[in-house]
Amino acid sequence: MSAKRRDPRAERAAVVVAEAPRRRIDRTHRGGAVAQGATVAPAAAPVVTIADPAYLVFAVVEMAGGVLSRHDRQVLGAARLLDGGGTAAVVLLAPGLPEDAGAAGADRVMVLAERDDPAALAASVAAAIRAHGPRHVVFAESADGGDLARRVAALCDEALFDAVESLSARQAIRPAAAGRAEWRAAPPRLLSIAADRIAPWRGAAHAAEPVDPPADPARDAALAVRLSPLPVEAANVRLDEAGFVIAAGNGVTDFAGFLDLARALGATPGGSRVVCDAGALPRAMQVGASGTVLNADCYVAFGISGAPQHLQGIGTVEHVVAVNTDLHAAMIARADLAVVADAQAVLPALLALLGAEA
């Protein structure tokens, strides 16, 4: 019987963490075809079930908006790197049950009750750790994920190895001395993963079987604090913190209408350098390497051709939509979805459609 032929393109794609602003590859990852370094998994691969795991690895995710984010998937990818060659089970701890938990690499899913305050959520995660005794617990090193990781570390009286940028079953590496050095250690129990450093799982889907959470930890009602997020006007959110940004370029002439559309969409408005240089929008709204570099989930560019410095500013954006009359514009090439049309004509049409739906 002849051996199956390797697919080098698929093997390379399996270890790519990010394509822009420059390609980042995690060659330690075992996802998909790279898992054993040989053949490509068939398209209809069976679901992997680990009935009797040697130990557990927890992956604690935020699931903002009710779906697994890019960073959440990287947390699951990191957890799979610690699974002892497939002998351990990865348990996803999340505030909901994502439909693609198995495809993202979860063997089990533990749905935690939604909490209005971070201390109660940390207590729930700490209770799950005490009940199941995982060997490793992986968090996202983000604003909320990092806060949760440190609260859990304090409750468990254990050290947290934070902002890990490279991970394997034998070693975790994080920056030290303001990035001038590296701190290497065997993977500890509690660790958090920096964004866009470790590839998400791209191998066979796992079973994602439900697991009951432990009993709610007792809390002193007199000391309990209920917190809820305050609504914030999207226009007041800093560009580097915004999740949804729309920007105007030289193809936009009605900037009042553009700002009205941003409010209707709940998006943070921005602009190209040409627009800000002309004074049509304030300098604080400039998107690009010479303005603000975005870390958004979605970016919509109206009438922006895509100068190199502007493309550098949207390098890590997950989804890009471009509206431009030039089919060969660099922004059209960068976009996941392109609308070849006059941006100034599309703006009022969208605004009218949103008004009709309201």
Side-chain angles (χ1 to χ4, degrees):
M1 180 182 296
S2 60
K4 293 182 179 179
R5 297 182 63 184
R6 294 175 57 240
D7 184 347
R9 290 189 181 89
E11 292 182 9
R12 184 177 181 84
V15 295
V16 173
V17 180
E19 288 285 359
R22 61 182 182 274
R23 177 170 291 179
R24 183 178 296 278
I25 294 177
D26 178 12
R27 294 192 182 279
T28 65
H29 209 273
R30 304 189 313 273
V34 182
Q36 304 300 328
T39 61
V40 178
V47 173
V48 177
T49 301
I50 301 178
D52 187 19
Y55 57 89
L56 301 178
V57 179
F58 279 7
V60 185
V61 301
E62 300 173 43
M63 271 188 67
V67 297
L68 292 174
S69 68
R70 180 178 62 199
H71 204 170
D72 291 340
R73 296 177 187 279
Q74 293 165 5
V75 169
L76 278 161
R80 289 250 64 100
L81 291 176
L82 300 171
D83 69 357
T87 62
V90 171
V91 182
L92 174 66
L93 275 64
L97 180 60
E99 295 180 358
D100 53 349
D107 297 295
R108 316 273 194 275
V109 179
M110 183 185 298
V111 177
L112 301 175
E114 291 191 14
R115 299 298 187 186
D116 290 324
D117 74 279
L121 178 59
S124 295
V125 175
I129 292 173
R130 287 191 291 269
H132 295 277
R135 181 174 295 184
H136 303 288
V137 183
V138 186
F139 299 86
E141 184 58 36
S142 60
D144 291 336
D147 175 76
L148 176 61
R150 286 155 180 81
R151 290 176 183 270
V152 172
L155 291 174
C156 296
D157 194 22
E158 296 184 32
L160 171 70
F161 199 75
D162 64 314
V164 172
E165 295 189 345
S166 181
L167 184 66
S168 69
R170 296 186 177 183
Q171 183 174 247
I173 304 175
R174 55 153 295 179
R180 296 189 300 272
E182 290 182 339
W183 187 359
R184 299 167 181 256
R189 190 180 196 190
L190 305 181
L191 62 157
S192 63
I193 304 301
D196 298 328
R197 293 297 185 271
I198 296 175
W201 175 250
R202 294 191 178 100
H206 285 245
E209 299 170 342
V211 176
D212 292 331
D216 192 32
R219 292 182 292 150
D220 187 344
L223 297 179
V225 179
R226 289 184 65 85
L227 301 178
S228 58
L230 294 174
V232 178
E233 183 70 28
N236 297 327
V237 177
R238 287 175 27 169
L239 278 173
D240 58 351
E241 296 178 350
F244 179 24
V245 177
I246 70 172
N250 212 26
V252 175
T253 56
D254 180 9
F255 291 97
F258 166 74
L259 294 176
D260 288 341
L261 178 61
R263 282 190 290 271
L265 290 172
T268 302
S272 67
R273 179 175 179 175
V274 172
V275 166
C276 294
D277 283 348
L281 293 175
R283 183 64 64 188
M285 288 189 180
Q286 182 179 327
V287 175
S290 58
T292 299
V293 176
L294 303 183
N295 190 31
D297 295 321
C298 183
Y299 177 69
V300 185
F302 289 95
I304 298 177
S305 60
Q309 67 87 20
H310 191 88
L311 295 178
Q312 291 171 18
I314 62 171
T316 60
V317 176
E318 188 165 4
H319 304 292
V320 175
V321 180
V323 182
N324 203 294
T325 55
D326 184 3
L327 178 61
H328 305 290
M331 183 60 72
I332 294 287
R334 167 66 175 87
D336 302 287
L337 173 64
V339 179
V340 182
D342 183 358
Q344 189 51 61
V346 172
L347 283 172
L350 281 176
L351 196 54
L353 182 61
L354 290 169
E357 290 182 352

